[in-house]
Amino acid sequence: DIAFLAARFVDHLGVADGRSRSFSADALAAMREHPWPGNVRELRFVVERAHLTGERGPIERADLGLGRDLDASLARVA
């Protein structure tokens, strides 16, 4: 289940860096709609990126960078 896995990933990240985050209803809907061609690894990467690059508060749909909402600056690999 996407929501369960995403919550586990973000909870684990929160323990590691002391920033507790959750997902907005819209972000959860976006994750359910996404086909996840990269499977669980892609989901984990998207959650980690949203957690680390976003502000405090819930992770929003735009923070995930899925599909049409992708922020080009988040897509670059250094």
Side-chain angles (χ1 to χ4, degrees), residues 34-54:
H34 188 69
W36 299 109
N39 283 324
V40 176
R41 281 184 241 178
E42 181 186 4
L43 174 63
R44 190 176 84 204
F45 173 75
V46 166
V47 170
E48 286 177 0
R49 182 182 63 205
H51 176 82
L52 296 172
T53 61

Side-chain angles (χ1 to χ4, degrees), residues 5-7 10 15 23-24 30 32-33 37 42 52 69 73 75 77:
L5 289 171
V10 83
V15 168
F23 296 96
S24 71
R32 287 187 189 103
E33 295 164 4
E42 181 186 4
L52 296 172
D69 298 322
S73 67
V77 177

Side-chain angles (χ1 to χ4, degrees), residues 2-73:
I2 299 296
F4 174 77
L5 289 171
R8 294 287 301 211
F9 294 145
V10 83
D11 288 347
H12 179 74
L13 291 164
V15 168
D17 71 4
R19 291 188 326 150
S20 178
R21 307 235 12 230
S22 61
F23 296 96
S24 71
D26 198 34
L28 288 171
M31 288 188 287
R32 287 187 189 103
E33 295 164 4
H34 188 69
W36 299 109
N39 283 324
V40 176
R41 281 184 241 178
E42 181 186 4
L43 174 63
R44 190 176 84 204
F45 173 75
V46 166
V47 170
E48 286 177 0
R49 182 182 63 205
H51 176 82
L52 296 172
T53 61
E55 301 295 321
R56 296 198 181 274
I59 295 171
E60 300 292 339
R61 177 185 284 262
D63 297 329
L64 298 172
L66 297 175
R68 61 180 167 72
D69 298 322
L70 182 62
D71 179 340
S73 67

